[in-house]
Every structure is written in structure tokens, then in C-alpha cells.
Amino acid sequence: MTADILVLGAGIVGVSTAIHLQRRGKSVVLVDRRGAGEETSFGNAGLIQREGIVPYGFPQEVSTLMRYGLNNRIDAHYHIAAMPKLVPFLSRYWWHSNKVRHNAIANAYAPLIENSVSEHDDLIQASGAGDLIRKDGWMEVFRTEKVRDDELAEAERLSKVAKINYTVLTPADLAKAEPHLKDKFVGGLKWNDPWSVTDPHGLTKAYLAYFQSLGGQFVTGDATTLGQSASGKGWQVTTEDGVVEAEKVVLALGPWSEDVTRKLGYSFIVGVKRGYHMHYSPAGNAVLNNWTMDKERGYFLAPMAKGIRLTTGAEFADRDAPKSPVQVERAERVARTIFPLGHRLDDEPWMGSRPCTPDMMPIIGKAPRHDGLWFAFGHAHHGLTLGPVTGRLIAEAMTGETPFLDISAWRPERFKA
């Protein structure tokens, strides 16, 4: 089998990239070891985060670091045995999270986020996936006045610099919006611009079906077999349908990208933040109307198609270590005190790995030392959000168009790779 372009990885980034390339008249073969959207893209809070222009930084205050060091939180957990291996990533992550550097990163990151909803809208309409989308934002709820005031001040700043819309919620507003939420909160904040997805896996599958309707092919294969073709004019990978050759290839393998890049001589420092989710039925006649974050505790409750999805924060561990869903247990205990959750709907917690760079921005662009090799990974907490915008940028650059955004801030060369 031959094609113009191979796209390795059928998560939201890879599928979106394949669509945009196929739209431009290229023959594209999309390759994954599993079905589309069955790895990292499967489990998330289901948000297209138009408000998320400031990436999640590493805490700088000593007092905060000491609290995290106790390792008893919902929003972060770490494996002690994994720390020596994670130090190179974490130390650079901490360095880039300095206030001055973090502000500069946020400014460079913002254009991607600012186009996230409009680029998704294009693919949602084309794929007929509108029934999976809600356009009414999400909300944070606050237990203390200090956290409330700090978050409202940040929201006001973002509204001025990035035209992000929000609504302040009083306790009475919360009671009206969420009648079954317990009275434990001093107020809330509604981010109005983001969209939410009731079935993230379903959305990726809808995009895949659209890609296939354009003539694109999806095959099962092993991305780690990637190598330069026998003819020396391109690339090849082994699949269940045999060897597939193409002139160009895009690596959109998320946290598994380094399994290929290291073989090719690149040494990007990419860490992972593992995350978990579990679905619940509501107890009795309870209804959760909004995607809701318990800000001080660091977990999400989201009214998904399958049930109420509880998602945790970040787990710092070896990518391939066995599950350790202690954050789910911690979050469930707290969540039951604020909302009447019923029984669990999943046999076990789901776990996924978010691919993270130390400067909190994705790697998007042409490989420095190989012709025909392109990178599209490292989207951290915003893979779902940034899939379509990344796909369009990669496709434009690969086909000789001028990308609609300047991609230099996210180029691979920013690392000594």
C-alpha cells in the first residue's frame, strides 16, 4: 500500500490532521494500534477550553510545594519510585513556570486556544456531530472567599487581554443553576465561551468517519516500526494490511511519540501527567446541569452521555506503570458530600496519559533532521481542545500553504533535540 502521507496516531490530533490533509487532495493513511480515540483522547473532562489560554504551571510557592509533598491531594499525586526518572522533566517544568517566563509562554500559547472553538466547529458541522456538543460553558465553584476573589480577578484580567467572557455566580445563582448541589460554596464563576462534549470518544469517531468519507484510510498498525522506506524516498510502517509507504509522515502519538522519536535520534523531554475518570449514576432524581469544577479540591463532575463523569487531576508516574487510582477514591469521597452520586457505572477507573513538554506548549512542525517527518504532539491538558487547530496548521505547512497562525513558537527546534 502506498499513500502521500502517513499519520501515526488516531487520537483527536491525529484524526484532525488526517482530515485536513485529505481535504487538500492528499491520499492519507491513518495508523493506530487500537481504534480511533481509544487512548488519551478517550478520557477527559470533555471541554473545548476557549478560556484556557494560560497553561497549567508548576507551583512556585514553597508552602504550596510542601502541601503537595504530603501526597494526599486529588489534583496531584506522585509515585515516589518514579521521581528520579521524572526529575529532568519536572525541574524544567518548574523553571518555565516562573511568573515572567510563564506569562511569555501564555502569550505564545494563546493563538492556539483562541481558535479552538472555531476550528472544532468546522469539523463538527462537516462530520454531523452537533448532537454531541453543548455551547453553554462550564463553571468553577469556590469554598473560600480568597480563592473566589483570586479567580475572579484572573477572569477579569483574561476578559481584557483575550476577550474571554465570564459570569460571576452568587450562592443564590449556584442554587438556581444546580438545585442538587449542596450548600458548601461561597460562589462560582461561569466561563461562557467554551463548548463541552457529551461523548469525547464519540466525537473522535465522528471525525474519523468524516475522514473516511473523504477517501482516507484507517488501518491497524505498529507505529514503532516506522523507518525510511526501502526505496529511500520516504517512510514506511508495518500494519495488519502489510507495509504502507508514503513520502511524508506525521507523528501524532501523544505520550508514545518518544518511542519513535528516540529511535530517530531525537531527545525531547516529554513527561506525562496521568489522569483517571469514573462514571456514576445520579442518586434518585438528582440532575447535574453543568460541567462543574470543585476548585479547591481539584476534580471535575461532568454530565456525560454515559453518566456523571468524575475526572481527577495529574498523577506523576512512569507512563507504563500499573494503575493507582487513589485520586478517584479521594475525589469520590469529597464529591459525594456536595452532590448525590449514585453507584459506579464502570467496572474500574479509566486511566490515560497526557503528553507534556516542560514549557507547556505542544511540538508542532517539521522535524529538524529528517525530510518528510512532521511532529504534532505534546498537547498536555488541551489535546481535545487543540486537535483541529493543530491539524489545520500541520496540513497547511506540509502542503506549502502559509499557516493561518505563525507556528514558530511551537517548532521542534526550540528544544536541543
Side-chain angles (χ1 to χ4, degrees), residues 4 27 38 40-41 53 72 173-174 221 260 310 338 341 415:
D4 294 326
S27 60
E38 292 187 4
T40 308
S41 295
I53 64 171
N72 59 2
D173 294 329
L174 286 179
V260 176
L310 180 153
I338 70 163
L341 291 176
F415 298 106

Side-chain angles (χ1 to χ4, degrees), residues 73-138:
R73 298 176 63 95
I74 297 169
D75 56 345
H77 179 71
Y78 61 89
H79 290 190
I80 295 175
M83 285 298 104
K85 183 178 179 180
L86 293 174
V87 163
F89 165 71
L90 292 176
S91 61
R92 287 167 175 79
Y93 183 19
W94 174 83
W95 188 85
H96 282 292
S97 297
N98 165 275
K99 184 176 181 179
V100 173
R101 287 184 283 271
H102 196 203
N103 286 341
I105 287 167
N107 290 335
Y109 189 64
L112 285 171
I113 294 290
E114 288 168 354
N115 288 276
S116 59
V117 167
S118 58
E119 291 303 312
H120 262 288
D121 189 35
D122 172 23
L123 300 192
I124 288 164
Q125 293 191 43
S127 64
D131 61 322
L132 302 177
I133 306 301
R134 283 178 46 177
K135 303 178 181 181
D136 52 0
W138 65 279

